[in-house]
Amino acid sequence: MARNPKPTASEADGVTYRRARTWEIAFSQLNNGSAMIFYVLVGLMSYLQNAGYGIAVAVAGLILTVTRVFQGLIDPLLALIIEKVDFRFGKLRFFMLTGWAIRSLAILLLFVWGSNAGLGAAFFIALYVVYIIGSSMNDIAGQMSGPVLTNDPRQRPTVQVWATTYAYLIPSIFTIVSTVVFLPRHGNEFTVAMLSETAITYVACSFVFQILACVGVARVDKPESFTHISVTREKAEVTVRDMWNVLAHNGSFQRYLISGASDKLGQVVRSQAVIGTLMWGILLGNMQLGTMLSLVAILPGIVFAIFGARYTGKHGSKAAIVTWTWICLILAAVLTAFCLVVDLRSVIGSLPLTIAFFLLYLLLNGASMVITVASGAMRADIIDYELDRSGKFLPATVTATYNIVDQIISSLGAALALGAVALIGFSAVMPQPTDSPNTAILLMTMLLFFGLPILGKICTLIAMRGYKLDRVEMVEVQKRVASRKADLQAEMPAQAIA
């Protein structure tokens, strides 16, 4: 007996959803891949500042921190420009390519043409600010592509799967290339010549990714994809007031921000090099273990991301985040207890303990990946809900507002980590992998490595209690949006005749 085909989301929900081809989603998210290449280059900035511009290491760190705050300030302005501008051929490709061109020019001026030319710190800061402007423009436009491509609840999470896959693989690949290919050519030193060669090659590679991303969004990059459903032209204009309105009156967005910010703080603090030294170098006695685990976690992480997309598509982003946040919370608590009970220096020498630690760590990483996928789908849901709530389609505004919080949290993470480490005796010198473990180091490491992420998960669960955009409500949102669009299109011919 032949099996009946599974109904599509449109058939099941009674809504005509937009759907994208799989290759369009894969290509469009290569904009994130292009951005990851520049992320690797920014990681080399500290070497460039010292070797090419004679900037002291301490001052270099301050410059990068202050300019990160500037990026948080410039994002809303760029978002407003992107929302207001309307070309006959759309806007995604224009701002993606313009942003790429600005950031590429700034990188080449910094790494190739201006490096070691005696131009000093002022030139570096000015060009880095230009880089930030291009970076923000490209990133905001690129992150708009997902909500524009598809609103199918089963397909929408796959956008984040591709973005996450590129975010995992591309930095790893290009970091290996710079370390294995370019560095040995220059005597294993980060010289001006090595940095210059790396920058030229990486910018060329990013251009290929950028072109493919533009191909991916070409079909939907048209004015109709960005239309509002406000009843009058005056009400359809996007202003600064709309940005405030989203932040002040969109309760679902507020809860999403709380969830994202609390999780982000734990992630940023945990990812600081000094915290890695405490965990892997001092407590476990193997500094390379953290790097090895990160590489091993890539493939399982992608598998979890694919599973997370299916789970989110079936149950909705809220249910996925709540369920998997509980799973992360339990795994993190178990792993914390494991680290407190077991002598961590004995983990590497005991096969059962090594397997237990690796398994718990990889499961925690995988569960976190499901949350990442669901969060991407949730942001797209919020953009559609804002269209239903206010009548305005504001993907750039929602993205930029979230980015402000992200930049602030990222800036606080390093300061919080260093301040906490100073409390346990590392105020004058930084901890080294050769230092001996003690109770203060163990407790502070557990607090920063697991405690803050656990606190973030608790904040997420509290925020999600009042979040109303579950799977059922989003179906109703899409129905209302579709109905209002149909009514607006029906009125336009009548107005044209009159």
Side-chain angles (χ1 to χ4, degrees), residues 168-169 293-306 362 365:
Y168 258 74
L169 292 179
L293 264 178
S294 298
L295 292 173
V296 171
I298 290 177
L299 184 57
I302 294 173
V303 172
F304 269 93
I306 294 171
L362 292 176
N365 183 77

Side-chain angles (χ1 to χ4, degrees), residues 153-372:
R154 295 181 189 173
Q155 188 182 51
R156 177 165 271 176
T158 63
V159 174
Q160 192 64 35
V161 172
W162 286 101
T164 302
T165 300
Y166 296 144
Y168 258 74
L169 292 179
I170 289 176
S172 299
I173 292 171
F174 280 83
T175 299
I176 291 171
V177 169
S178 65
T179 305
V180 175
V181 177
F182 294 119
L183 201 56
R185 288 186 190 175
H186 300 272
N188 284 319
E189 292 186 7
F190 289 95
T191 63
V192 170
M194 178 268 173
L195 295 170
S196 175
E197 184 180 4
T198 303
I200 292 172
T201 306
Y202 284 13
V203 167
C205 292
S206 73
F207 180 66
V208 176
F209 287 177
Q210 198 63 66
I211 293 298
L212 291 175
C214 289
V215 172
V217 301
R219 181 179 60 85
V220 298
D221 191 15
K222 51 189 178 182
E224 306 91 85
S225 299
F226 305 96
T227 54
H228 306 298
I229 53 177
S230 299
V231 292
T232 65
R233 182 177 180 84
E234 290 75 18
K235 288 184 179 180
E237 289 294 329
V238 179
T239 64
V240 176
R241 183 177 296 176
D242 292 305
M243 303 184 76
W244 172 250
N245 186 35
V246 172
L247 185 59
H249 301 295
N250 189 325
S252 296
F253 184 48
Q254 292 169 354
R255 294 178 180 279
Y256 174 69
L257 280 179
I258 293 170
S259 170
S262 57
D263 269 352
K264 181 71 174 182
L265 182 61
Q267 292 171 10
V268 170
V269 171
R270 179 176 168 174
S271 67
Q272 296 299 309
V274 64
I275 307 303
T277 300
L278 293 178
M279 180 67 184
W280 309 112
I282 298 177
L283 294 180
L284 282 158
N286 189 328
M287 193 62 191
Q288 288 70 41
L289 184 61
T291 303
M292 184 179 71
L293 264 178
S294 298
L295 292 173
V296 171
I298 290 177
L299 184 57
I302 294 173
V303 172
F304 269 93
I306 294 171
F307 168 79
R310 291 182 176 274
Y311 189 93
T312 304
K314 181 178 181 180
H315 300 281
S317 57
K318 177 184 177 179
I321 287 179
V322 170
T323 300
W324 287 89
T325 295
W326 272 112
I327 293 173
C328 281
L329 199 58
I330 294 169
L331 288 171
V334 171
L335 196 49
T336 303
F338 176 92
C339 292
L340 290 173
V341 171
V342 173
D343 177 11
L344 290 179
R345 284 292 176 111
S346 67
V347 168
I348 305 302
S350 169
L351 183 60
L353 292 179
T354 301
I355 292 174
F357 181 83
F358 271 47
L359 184 60
L360 286 170
Y361 189 87
L362 292 176
L363 286 174
L364 179 58
N365 183 77
S368 299
M369 190 61 63
V370 177
I371 296 175
T372 299

Side-chain angles (χ1 to χ4, degrees), residues 128-139:
Y128 192 64
V129 167
V130 172
Y131 168 82
I132 286 174
I133 294 172
S135 176
S136 293
M137 185 182 297
N138 176 271
D139 291 346

